[in-house]
Amino acid sequence: VTTDVGLSEKLGQASANGQFGFGMQAFRACCERLRVRSRTGSEAPLLEIAVPRNQASGFEIVQLETPEDLERLRDSGTMVILEDICDAWASNKEDLSVQGCADEIENHFERLLSRGNLEVLVTGPSCDVQHACRPVHYHDNETEVVVNDTFPLGGGQRAKVMLAIGSMKRANTMSRPPRFFVKGRRIAEVIDTKTFFAASANRWKVWNH
């Protein structure tokens, strides 16, 4: 899998990765099994697919019917479960803690969370610790949104641009440098996108913050 990092023409190939990394395959590095459960409503069947770490094909979708399983996902939604996390990862309590995982989700899927009608909960192994992921509110008492518009790029493509300004203290607290998002998912920071950064006339003044 690692030999093909950076390829974008995955097209269902189990041995290839997307342009931006491992995607869901990253679970194989830290735990023994990934489970995904989903249903479209309270009356719809609850379906699950389990992906063991060392298995690359032959997966089956099964229907769960026990009261305990149905209670954990009572309405429409999707649940992702990481099972048997390796000791080397479990010992790093900051990265794989409920708060650590929630922070990364809030950073990576920031624009997706801002759309509303979406609830993302991160729950600990014993279900006694839970964190509701929240979007960033750029328009508050300490920041001001000065640009929030959509621009045509040609070829039927459009780009939405949002620019918020605030004090350096507020910027350091929020830790949200200029970034590119695709379908609500963070792709990269502007300063790390070489094709864009190199073509920007005022790149060091504007983007290096």
Side-chain angles (χ1 to χ4, degrees):
V1 174
T2 57
T3 59
D4 291 326
V5 171
L7 297 181
S8 59
E9 299 177 356
K10 42 191 177 185
L11 297 178
Q13 301 176 30
S15 61
N17 286 287
Q19 181 180 357
F20 304 107
F22 291 110
M24 65 157 285
Q25 304 294 346
F27 87 90
R28 301 180 190 273
C30 67
C31 68
E32 292 296 329
R33 187 177 297 101
L34 169 75
R35 293 185 184 275
V36 180
R37 298 175 178 178
S38 188
R39 69 191 310 184
T40 58
S42 58
E43 302 299 322
L46 175 60
L47 304 178
E48 177 189 88
I49 182 170
V51 185
R53 179 187 228 170
N54 297 320
Q55 185 176 340
S57 61
F59 308 111
E60 294 184 358
I61 298 177
V62 298
Q63 182 173 341
L64 303 179
E65 298 178 335
T66 66
E68 180 182 0
D69 290 330
L70 295 174
E71 177 65 21
R72 293 186 68 186
L73 195 58
R74 289 180 289 181
D75 209 336
S76 63
T78 298
M79 178 183 296
V80 179
I81 306 170
L82 300 177
E83 292 185 338
D84 298 329
I85 295 176
C86 301
D87 292 340
W89 288 81
S91 61
N92 192 341
K93 297 181 180 179
E94 294 300 322
D95 289 344
L96 284 179
S97 66
V98 169
Q99 186 63 52
C101 291
D103 288 344
E104 181 58 25
I105 290 173
E106 290 176 348
N107 192 18
H108 192 74
F109 296 102
E110 174 189 310
R111 305 315 303 156
L112 190 64
L113 291 170
S114 69
R115 296 177 183 176
N117 195 31
L118 174 67
E119 182 181 45
V120 178
L121 299 176
V122 181
T123 306
S126 59
C127 299
D128 58 341
V129 180
Q130 192 174 72
H131 180 97
C133 296
R134 303 185 183 281
V136 176
H137 297 290
Y138 287 99
H139 195 70
D140 59 20
N141 294 331
E142 298 183 70
T143 58
E144 180 182 0
V145 177
V146 295
V147 178
N148 190 12
D149 207 346
T150 301
F151 301 90
L153 299 177
Q157 298 187 66
R158 297 182 301 166
K160 184 173 183 178
V161 178
M162 185 180 71
L163 174 64
I165 59 175
S167 66
M168 287 299 297
K169 180 180 179 180
R170 179 60 171 161
N172 291 332
T173 301
M174 295 179 68
S175 187
R176 291 296 192 274
R179 291 150 298 150
F180 287 112
F181 290 83
V182 174
K183 296 182 178 179
R185 184 186 71 170
R186 180 193 68 199
I187 297 301
E189 292 186 14
V190 169
I191 193 173
D192 293 330
T193 308
K194 296 180 180 179
T195 53
F196 179 87
F197 191 71
S200 180
N202 299 301
R203 51 187 176 274
W204 295 110
K205 295 180 181 179
V206 177
W207 306 117
N208 194 25
H209 294 284

